[in-house]
Amino acid sequence: IRRTGRYSVQSRLKNASGKPPYHRCNSQDSLDELFMDEYWTEVENITLSSEGKGDAEPQEEVQLKVPDEGEQEKAWLTEAGLATLFDESASDPEDMMGLLFTLTRTQAAAVEKRFETIRKRNKHHHIPDVRDIFKLPGTLESKVSLPQVVGQGNGAGPSEQSVSEPETDINLELSFSDQALSYKEGSKASSEALTDTDDKLSNFKLSRDKTGLTKMGDLSPQDMKKVHRLVLIEMTALFDTTGIDLKAHKAVKLKVKESGLFGVPLATLLEQDQRRQPGTKVPIILQRLIFHIEEEGLDTEGLLRIPGSATRVKAVHVELEGKFYEGLFSWESLKQHDAASLLKLFIRELPHPLLTVEYLSAFMAVLKLPTKKQQLQALNLVVLLLPESSRDVLKALMEFLQRVIDHKEQNKMTLNNVAVVMAPNIFMFKGFRNKISMQQELSMATETANIVRLLIRYQNLLWTIPKFIMNQVRKQNTENQKKISKDRAMRKLLKKIAYDREKPEKQEKPPSEVDSSSQGFIRVQAPQFSKVSMAVQLTEELQASDVLSHFLSQKSSVSVKREALCLYEIGGNIKERCLDEDTYMKDLLELNPSAKWVIKWVIQR
């Protein structure tokens, strides 16, 4: 999200008082006229900031392009890892077959819908019928019957498993699209609506999972690639099930800055930061601005709402560009409101929207879903689809905004205040307002503010990978491993390994090679701390936190803080996963009996 042109409240939107007329959005009833006045005031502040930067280096306007029908479906299938369905040379078919094997019936229906569009538009080419695709050996042959596609990759379908948990519980074990289908088939009348005050937003919580919640960043890149594909299919299935047509956009390539702080692509900025601080996930300049605001105190009245001095902000902007990396910038003289304005400026000036052109329409479509629970489920999926750099920056920003709200008694910035002020900074980019109608802009003002409210209020939920997705990843890994084991070269290697193992079998096995779980304990390794193997008694109540405590009690020489340690699940049906401390080890061992357990030092930035 960026600021590259002039943001101005268009004259056609203004009434005699100089303010745009307010119309309550039909689908939301959560932000009143007083709060929306703050939204338009922020737009005017952005306009003044833009005019004050008239001599700045001009940037190109983001161009939105909607792919043609057929091309959009091909792009979707390619991103979902299913390009082989229409192009045999596109990708590894074995990986594709493992993915198809895990799909639920709503997910399979989403794939079928897009595949059929391509097939009908390319009748002169040889593209097999989708029924043949789902009946290939080793896939959903016995589990899929069309036209009602049923592939139960994660347990019972919606007709077999009712969603009976409390309305404020988010069920992560059953596919969201399957839950939506149950809701639709049950013809439930929705009495849910977002409310006017902060404290009346429902206190949604995640259902308890003894095998541990999985957060973004907990998985290996290989498994995250599978997560992305499955989440894309699931999100599309959810919108399909609820009858919402989701049009994807593509951005025309821009000429962008290749160095500096403001107006630089996130990927470029992180590359230059990682050369200075390896492992950096959030741009150092954004981290430093947030740290400064919090260090000076979050009690400043009107923080984020009251703009800094345009003249000072412009001067500090230029000074930061020249002095930040050299450590010569004087942070002591930077005022709170100026720092907050610079933080918003950084977000606005990103040459590509923080929420990305590709998924911006998906974020906007979230509020079309019939219930708050479904809205949050959809928002969870869209957040997970964001590129890693955008997702990490968005998370850091939302965490900061929550800390601002925590001081609302002093700074007078409630959830609603913060949401309406930040919405135009997050959702606007150059040329966007010129592409929409007056009524669209009025409606989107309220909608974007509501989306930011949800992003802040439910961030603990939104950055969690649903368990049903994790189960599908595990199943896909298992299926792929079965295919690999059938490969001739692999069989030859396994024979050699078996032969090598036979020779030392006559000797007594070292303790580290004994099957420990069958003897009532697990073995944990910590190679970074020279701990080859540590035995931990396996009980019903043993959690990952207990394993870490046991390790620290044995390694008194370790100076690393507890929060910097993580117990990892490695191998078996997962590549690598950092466990949350509430994971019950016995339950997880039953889910992945071949896993190894390793303690690592995790550097987080």
Side-chain angles (χ1 to χ4, degrees):
I1 291 134
R2 65 196 189 103
R3 186 223 56 87
T4 54
R6 295 187 176 187
Y7 290 83
S8 58
V9 180
Q10 301 169 24
S11 58
R12 59 192 171 94
L13 296 178
K14 293 187 176 182
N15 55 21
S17 66
K19 296 179 181 178
Y22 175 79
H23 297 283
R24 187 178 296 278
C25 174
N26 292 331
S27 62
Q28 299 296 318
D29 190 24
S30 53
L31 295 169
D32 60 22
E33 184 172 357
L34 177 61
F35 284 114
M36 293 316 297
D37 277 350
E38 293 182 1
Y39 178 97
W40 298 111
T41 299
E42 179 66 14
V43 173
E44 292 174 350
N45 290 337
I46 294 172
T47 301
L48 295 175
S49 172
S50 301
E51 292 173 348
K53 288 175 59 61
D55 58 344
E57 180 182 346
Q59 293 179 327
E60 291 186 62
E61 177 180 319
V62 172
Q63 298 290 336
L64 301 182
K65 178 183 178 182
V66 178
D68 296 332
E69 186 181 19
E71 292 303 315
Q72 180 167 299
E73 283 74 13
K74 285 183 179 180
W76 185 90
L77 287 168
T78 300
E79 187 177 354
L82 298 172
T84 308
L85 291 178
F86 61 87
D87 181 359
E88 293 181 359
S89 64
S91 63
D92 179 9
E94 288 191 351
D95 188 54
M96 182 198 75
M97 304 317 288
L99 172 59
L100 288 175
F101 188 83
T102 71
L103 299 183
T104 66
R105 72 163 172 171
T106 49
Q107 292 172 350
V111 173
E112 176 193 351
K113 179 179 178 181
R114 277 129 197 100
F115 181 81
E116 281 295 289
T117 299
I118 297 174
R119 192 175 69 87
K120 289 176 182 178
R121 289 179 60 87
N122 294 273
K123 289 183 178 180
H124 57 288
H125 295 300
H126 175 66
I127 297 181
D129 190 282
V130 71
R131 292 165 175 79
D132 298 327
I133 293 295
F134 281 105
K135 289 183 180 180
L136 287 174
T139 62
L140 300 174
E141 181 178 4
S142 62
K143 299 183 180 182
V144 178
S145 58
L146 297 174
Q148 187 177 17
V149 183
V150 183
Q152 303 301 341
N154 63 323
S159 61
E160 302 171 44
Q161 178 175 338
S162 61
V163 184
S164 59
E165 74 278 358
E167 287 300 313
T168 53
D169 278 1
I170 301 294
N171 184 345
L172 299 181
E173 298 199 14
L174 183 64
S175 160
F176 295 159
S177 53
D178 281 356
Q179 292 180 49
L181 186 59
S182 289
Y183 178 91
K184 185 178 179 180
E185 291 176 345
S187 300
K188 293 182 180 179
S190 174
S191 60
E192 301 178 26
L194 292 178
T195 52
D196 288 331
T197 57
D198 301 347
D199 57 357
K200 289 186 180 179
L201 280 176
S202 298
N203 186 28
F204 286 101
K205 58 184 179 180
L206 300 174
S207 53
R208 185 180 178 87
D209 180 11
K210 298 192 78 172
T211 61
L213 296 176
T214 305
K215 297 288 187 178
M216 297 306 304
D218 287 349
L219 295 178
S220 66
Q222 299 97 315
D223 282 340
M224 276 307 303
K225 185 177 180 180
K226 295 181 178 69
V227 167
H228 181 92
R229 291 172 172 178
L230 287 162
V231 167
L232 175 64
I233 295 172
E234 173 63 18
M235 180 198 73
T236 307
L238 177 58
F239 281 115
D240 283 355
T241 302
T242 51
I244 297 171
D245 185 21
L246 192 61
K247 292 294 185 184
H249 290 89
K250 296 185 69 176
V252 176
K253 190 174 182 179
L254 299 176
K255 183 179 179 180
V256 297
K257 290 172 61 178
E258 297 180 358
S259 63
L261 299 175
F262 294 79
V264 181
L266 274 180
T268 303
L269 190 53
L270 286 169
E271 283 178 11
Q272 67 185 29
D273 283 355
Q274 287 166 359
R275 287 195 290 268
R276 293 173 171 84
Q277 292 184 12
T280 298
K281 297 288 188 180
V282 176
I284 299 173
I285 179 61
L286 182 60
Q287 292 186 53
R288 192 63 183 84
L289 285 169
I290 290 174
F291 175 78
H292 176 81
I293 294 171
E294 295 185 351
E295 187 181 40
E296 293 298 307
L298 296 172
D299 296 342
T300 304
E301 186 168 341
L303 187 63
L304 295 173
R305 178 174 55 81
I306 299 175
S309 163
T311 302
R312 287 199 306 266
V313 170
K314 179 181 177 181
V316 172
H317 179 191
V318 174
E319 190 176 0
L320 278 169
E321 290 282 8
K323 296 181 178 180
F324 177 70
Y325 283 125
E326 285 68 32
L328 301 175
F329 179 76
S330 175
W331 288 96
E332 296 77 12
S333 60
L334 182 60
K335 299 181 181 298
Q336 283 289 75
H337 291 300
D338 293 349
S341 292
L342 285 165
L343 182 147
K344 292 187 290 185
L345 181 66
F346 173 84
I347 299 297
R348 292 197 308 272
E349 285 204 338
L350 290 172
H352 302 286
L354 181 60
L355 303 183
T356 74
V357 167
E358 290 78 5
Y359 298 116
L360 204 59
S361 59
F363 275 98
M364 297 298 299
V366 162
L367 297 180
K368 295 180 181 179
L369 290 160
T371 70
K372 284 182 291 183
K373 183 180 291 187
Q374 289 180 14
Q375 290 173 11
L376 288 176
Q377 290 172 334
L379 195 57
N380 178 206
L381 297 171
V382 183
V383 166
L384 298 183
L385 281 175
L386 289 175
E388 184 178 2
S389 56
S390 295
R391 199 169 54 230
D392 289 340
V393 170
L394 182 63
K395 187 173 190 294
L397 181 61
M398 293 303 112
E399 289 173 346
F400 164 70
L401 297 180
Q402 182 59 59
R403 292 193 291 271
V404 171
I405 295 165
D406 290 342
H407 291 252
K408 62 185 177 183
E409 297 299 327
Q410 294 76 34
N411 59 34
K412 312 302 180 186
M413 295 298 293
T414 65
L415 175 59
N416 285 346
N417 294 129
V418 171
V420 297
V421 166
M422 291 304 300
N425 291 282
I426 292 174
F427 279 90
M428 284 187 177
F429 54 89
K430 185 181 179 183
F432 178 73
R433 297 179 69 243
N434 296 328
K435 296 178 174 67
I436 58 176
S437 67
M438 173 183 67
Q439 192 57 41
Q440 283 177 316
E441 182 167 14
L442 288 169
S443 176
M444 286 178 60
T446 308
E447 290 171 355
T448 56
N450 271 307
I451 293 167
V452 176
R453 273 165 40 101
L454 297 180
L455 285 170
I456 299 171
R457 177 71 171 80
Y458 300 108
Q459 56 189 285
N460 288 337
L461 180 158
L462 298 177
W463 270 262
T464 300
I465 302 174
K467 185 178 180 180
F468 71 88
I469 294 288
M470 289 301 304
N471 286 344
Q472 288 179 290
V473 169
R474 292 180 187 276
K475 189 167 186 178
Q476 190 175 341
N477 284 335
T478 300
E479 291 302 315
N480 290 339
Q481 287 168 8
K482 288 179 182 178
K483 292 185 178 352
I484 291 174
S485 67
K486 294 177 182 178
D487 183 85
R488 183 180 302 174
M490 181 58 69
R491 289 205 307 269
K492 186 176 180 180
L493 178 61
L494 291 175
K495 286 181 180 179
K496 182 179 183 303
I497 293 174
Y499 174 76
D500 291 342
R501 283 178 174 172
E502 286 178 2
K503 292 186 292 186
E505 268 188 11
K506 297 179 181 179
Q507 305 171 8
E508 185 178 349
K509 285 187 177 181
S512 60
E513 296 182 18
V514 178
D515 182 4
S516 56
S517 59
S518 63
Q519 299 188 8
F521 60 90
I522 58 173
R523 290 204 168 273
V524 181
Q525 299 176 345
Q528 289 179 323
F529 305 98
S530 302
K531 190 75 175 177
V532 177
S533 181
M534 175 184 71
V536 181
Q537 186 70 41
L538 187 62
T539 66
E540 294 287 345
E541 300 301 317
L542 180 70
Q543 294 181 295
S545 58
D546 301 321
V547 175
L548 294 175
S549 297
H550 184 68
F551 169 73
L552 288 174
S553 68
Q554 287 195 350
K555 294 286 289 185
S556 57
S557 59
V558 174
S559 58
V560 65
K561 293 182 179 179
R562 163 70 176 273
E563 54 267 26
L565 293 178
C566 185
L567 177 62
Y568 280 81
E569 168 195 4
I570 299 177
N573 53 35
I574 208 78
K575 295 294 182 182
E576 183 174 288
R577 173 181 173 234
C578 180
L579 304 181
D580 93 64
E581 295 200 0
D582 293 332
T583 302
Y584 285 83
M585 300 305 298
K586 190 170 183 179
D587 292 86
L588 182 56
L589 188 63
E590 292 175 359
L591 181 64
N592 190 5
S594 301
K596 294 182 179 179
W597 316 103
V598 179
I599 293 175
K600 292 185 181 182
W601 181 12
V602 182
I603 302 176
Q604 297 181 340
R605 286 190 173 87

